[in-house]
Amino acid sequence: MGDLIGHLEQYLGTISGGWTDPDEHETRFQVVQLDVASDSSLVSFSTLGLSRIPFHLDNDSRQIRHEFMITVQEDQVSSQIPALLHQIAVESIEGAAPLLRGQVVGPRGPLIPGSSMVAFYVAPPVHQPDAFSTYDTGEHVVVFVWLVPITHTPKPTTCSTTGGLNSRICSSNTVLTFPTFPASQSVRSS
């Protein structure tokens, strides 16, 4: 697990906190908070140890091992984000189903009280260099899954596209919102 921690910290920042659920020993993973050391105002949360559990694709013998992550602006950090990430991971374990690119987790109503966040879009972590997307433990490859918040507004939203990942993608009242990444941050297309 030590090398996986090093991989996370190399790209997402220093681990500044961690949470486990003492009632769920069989899940064997935790959620960590990573704070970027640069001038960035981004904070990431990631599962750590979820990749110990193999997930099988339907009708396929291949296995997927992954870790989930959420990146938010510093002013959007909530004490409930680790619980949300934990819940999504537990549901994936209980359903024996990996999260796949393009999938939407939710909607479930407001995920955080007072927030318009209602669901997550599953994407590759395109806001990081290619080398972050996977990590080879020597026994298996870990795939990192980025959960992008989806918000819902009570009235139709007009969105303008600024391009790149600093944009909002709108459809009716639903908005897929990417955090604002520093101009120096490496961004690649998926």
Side-chain angles (χ1 to χ4, degrees):
M1 197 57 45
D3 292 330
L4 185 57
I5 291 171
H7 184 78
L8 282 169
E9 289 189 324
Q10 177 182 356
Y11 293 99
L12 300 180
T14 304
I15 293 177
S16 62
W19 299 264
T20 59
D21 186 342
D23 297 330
E24 295 185 16
H25 301 292
E26 68 277 359
T27 58
R28 305 181 318 258
F29 73 92
Q30 59 185 319
V31 174
V32 294
Q33 177 176 335
L34 300 111
D35 297 329
V36 178
S38 69
D39 295 340
S40 172
S41 62
L42 298 177
V43 176
S44 293
F45 294 85
S46 177
T47 58
L48 180 61
L50 181 62
S51 57
R52 292 182 190 132
I53 301 166
F55 292 90
H56 297 275
L57 295 171
D58 290 337
N59 303 320
D60 198 327
S61 61
R62 292 181 295 169
Q63 294 182 348
I64 295 177
R65 293 179 184 258
H66 49 21
E67 300 286 349
F68 303 156
M69 61 169 289
I70 299 172
T71 301
V72 297
Q73 299 295 133
E74 194 172 37
D75 63 353
Q76 296 172 333
V77 171
S78 165
S79 61
Q80 294 165 328
I81 292 176
L84 279 172
L85 196 53
H86 181 268
Q87 179 182 352
I88 292 167
V90 167
E91 289 174 2
S92 190
I93 293 167
E94 289 174 350
L99 292 185
L100 302 175
R101 178 183 181 170
Q103 185 176 344
V104 174
V105 178
R108 302 179 181 176
L111 296 175
I112 297 173
S115 165
S116 59
M117 184 172 41
V118 295
F120 291 100
Y121 177 78
V122 178
V126 296
H127 62 298
Q128 294 293 331
D130 286 341
F132 172 73
S133 298
T134 60
Y135 177 74
D136 189 343
T137 68
E139 297 175 14
H140 52 266
V141 174
V142 177
V143 177
F144 288 89
V145 174
W146 182 25
L147 302 177
V148 181
I150 298 174
T151 58
H152 182 79
T153 59
K155 59 183 178 178
T157 304
T158 303
C159 294
S160 61
T161 305
T162 58
L165 286 180
N166 295 332
S167 62
R168 295 161 48 115
I169 301 169
C170 302
S171 170
S172 178
N173 298 17
T174 305
V175 182
L176 180 60
T177 306
F178 296 96
T180 302
F181 297 99
S184 62
Q185 183 97 24
S186 171
V187 176
R188 58 187 168 82
S189 62
S190 57

